[in-house]
Amino acid sequence: MNVLVINCGSSSLKYQLINSDSEEVLAKGLCERIGIDGAIVHQPKGGDKVKTEVAMPNHTEAVKLVIEKLTDPQVGVIKSLDEIDAVGHRIVHGGEKFATSVVLDGEVLKAIEDCNDLAPLHNPANLIGINACKAIMPNVPMVGVFDTAFHQTMPKKAYLYGLPLSYYEKYKVRRYGFHGTSHDFVSKRAAEILGKDRKDLKIIVCHLGNGASISAVKNGESVDTSMGLTPLEGLIMGTRSGDLDPAIITFIAGKEGISADEVINVCNKKSGVLGLSGGVSSDFRDLAAASAEGNKAAETALETYAYRVAKYIGAYAAAMNGVDVIAFTAGVGENDAKVREAVGQYLGFLGANIDPVKNDVHGEEAVISSADAKVTVMVVPTNEELAIARETVRLVGA
Ligand code: ADP
């Protein structure tokens, strides 16, 4: 069957049409600047990207344009809407209500809306995307796949903060974790590649993209992860600070004469390696180039980044009382051999030795640890869209 996978943000909408039998991507694209002016970038399988500037006042119009492109005589890949058998939606926050993917019906939509409070920037946009698709494809079954769901297996000791319990009881303030679809996909695939059952393994997944998080996956279940109530906690990321002393927020607010919300905005958008490098870039290719040219701040940003990743790996090896596999994934994890090497320098004590020759891989599945390593270190490209398509078929497939 053909599954349309939708990842909807407040002013953007990413899509992929996937044939779930062959698992081929038939077409993919992105609607940008929805509600501002609008542009759609569409790419059919084997074809070039085509960008069209077109007014997109709202998400319903954006979905209509996606359908137009998918059925277009020139750049389309299907004849009509009837060839879309199901839609899978990425949903950021499922709170404690969703530990697995769900078919999106009336009651479920209300429960997702109840989670808006926990992800005010993301969930409302996800819901707008769902409603836009429902308006245009009322009879097509739809499934929601949550970024938080895979981490719902975390034990209390991993998800509670050291705060008054009443904040958890009243407001559900706790660690939720994100990138769950990726941590699930990559840990499963890592076990498959090794010919082992995930249930017998202790796996640490390092999802290092623009956003970045680490998870400890023990016997097939997430037992800890670095992102928290929001995606701001944990690793140093492209533009996010990761872990901080919370007292810094009001300290900076006082010094700079700005509000706590404004400081949080800086922590989300102007920090991470971008901030640490003094504004060089959030992109690791730019940082590597700047560092090679002698930019000390860029060099420090890269060192600080790798050190934080390594500290989390150490923590999660302790959390699971051991580790069998460390898997690197996402834009940086899959492509940046230097970052993997820098992290690997701290891992000798675990017996997770990276082989410099094997580590010279970019965006492909590989075992990169040395033959005598006690812990297998791997590169496992993630594919969140495929994971969403598979979940959709699992729930509504024939
Ligand atoms: P997102 O969180 O947006 O899904 P990705 O997982 O696609 O992010 O990661 C994007 C990041 O990956 C880029 O910002 C860049 O830092 C990094 N990246 C992509 N390709 C490379 C590469 N060839 N070498 C080093 N870093 C790369």
Side-chain angles (χ1 to χ4, degrees):
M1 59 195 264
N2 290 333
V3 181
L4 180 62
V5 176
I6 298 279
N7 181 355
C8 198
S10 56
S11 66
S12 70
L13 186 156
K14 287 190 208 149
Y15 63 94
Q16 281 195 7
L17 185 67
I18 296 177
N19 178 313
S20 65
D21 304 314
S22 62
E23 299 203 327
E24 260 181 323
V25 178
L26 303 178
K28 62 181 174 182
L30 164 70
C31 298
E32 297 171 304
R33 300 174 62 83
I34 302 168
I36 306 165
D37 37 29
I40 180 166
V41 180
H42 175 82
Q43 185 176 27
K45 186 185 141 210
D48 292 331
K49 281 185 186 169
V50 189
K51 183 169 183 174
T52 321
E53 312 268 347
V54 49
M56 247 178 260
N58 55 49
H59 287 75
T60 310
E61 290 305 312
V63 174
K64 272 190 196 152
L65 280 161
V66 170
I67 305 292
E68 263 177 38
K69 289 288 172 199
L70 290 172
T71 55
D72 182 89
Q74 262 90 47
V75 295
V77 290
I78 51 175
K79 288 200 183 66
S80 78
L81 202 60
D82 297 344
E83 291 179 50
I84 298 176
D85 301 298
V87 183
H89 292 269
R90 175 191 178 216
I91 302 172
V92 169
H93 218 306
E96 288 187 332
K97 291 177 200 271
F98 299 100
T100 181
S101 314
V102 282
V103 176
L104 296 169
D105 58 24
E107 257 170 53
V108 168
L109 291 184
K110 171 75 183 66
I112 296 170
E113 210 176 314
D114 291 343
C115 301
N116 279 0
D117 208 19
L118 294 168
L121 297 178
H122 295 102
N123 270 33
N126 299 154
L127 279 165
I128 289 171
I130 294 166
N131 287 325
C133 286
K134 278 186 175 276
I136 293 164
M137 298 172 267
N139 300 318
V140 177
M142 308 217 176
V143 167
V145 180
F146 299 89
D147 263 23
T148 48
F150 181 59
H151 301 303
Q152 276 297 301
T153 46
M154 276 190 287
K156 229 174 198 168
K157 65 184 177 188
Y159 72 68
L160 282 182
Y161 290 114
L163 287 168
L165 190 60
S166 58
Y167 295 152
Y168 169 62
E169 292 166 342
K170 282 194 287 188
Y171 313 122
K172 296 287 172 212
V173 170
R174 51 159 282 179
R175 171 184 312 287
Y176 290 95
F178 298 87
H179 294 139
T181 312
S182 177
H183 288 288
D184 185 20
F185 179 91
V186 169
S187 55
K188 213 180 265 164
R189 184 70 197 132
E192 255 171 40
I193 295 167
L194 298 174
K196 296 198 170 149
D197 190 331
R198 184 169 67 157
K199 290 207 167 72
D200 300 327
L201 292 171
K202 295 169 179 172
I203 305 174
I204 296 176
V205 178
C206 308
H207 177 110
L208 312 180
N210 201 14
S213 67
I214 298 208
S215 67
V217 181
K218 188 177 181 185
N219 307 331
E221 291 187 341
S222 172
V223 294
D224 210 339
T225 191
S226 58
M227 283 178 166
L229 173 75
T230 76
L232 187 51
E233 194 181 352
L235 300 177
I236 293 169
M237 312 183 204
T239 64
R240 294 194 195 115
S241 61
D243 296 336
L244 287 179
D245 177 346
I248 290 171
I249 306 296
T250 46
F251 182 85
I252 300 282
K255 291 283 180 199
E256 295 269 314
I258 56 178
S259 68
D261 277 342
E262 284 169 311
V263 182
I264 295 285
N265 195 42
V266 171
C267 293
N268 267 309
K269 301 206 170 129
K270 296 187 179 160
S271 301
V273 288
L274 171 70
L276 267 170
S277 64
V280 169
S281 179
S282 62
D283 191 304
F284 282 69
R285 289 161 287 198
D286 301 335
L287 289 166
S291 169
E293 281 165 17
N295 184 314
K296 288 288 169 209
E299 188 183 326
T300 305
L302 290 168
E303 278 173 3
T304 314
Y305 178 90
Y307 179 65
R308 179 79 55 90
V309 175
K311 282 210 298 187
Y312 264 97
I313 291 174
Y316 288 170
M320 294 193 287
N321 195 14
V323 53
D324 301 306
V325 178
I326 298 170
F328 286 92
T329 195
V332 181
E334 291 167 25
N335 293 298
D336 199 325
K338 285 219 170 73
V339 165
R340 294 192 299 258
E341 184 191 324
V343 173
Q345 304 210 320
Y346 297 96
L347 305 181
F349 81 101
L350 281 175
N353 306 313
I354 294 179
D355 179 319
V357 177
K358 292 186 190 165
N359 188 33
D360 190 18
V361 283
H362 309 274
E364 56 192 286
E365 291 179 347
V367 170
I368 59 169
S369 43
S370 54
D372 61 348
K374 287 202 220 97
V375 175
T376 308
V377 186
M378 306 175 73
V379 173
V380 181
T382 192
N383 192 337
E384 286 161 289
E385 290 79 12
L386 177 58
I388 292 172
R390 284 179 181 168
E391 278 294 274
T392 305
V393 173
R394 184 175 72 79
L395 290 181
V396 301

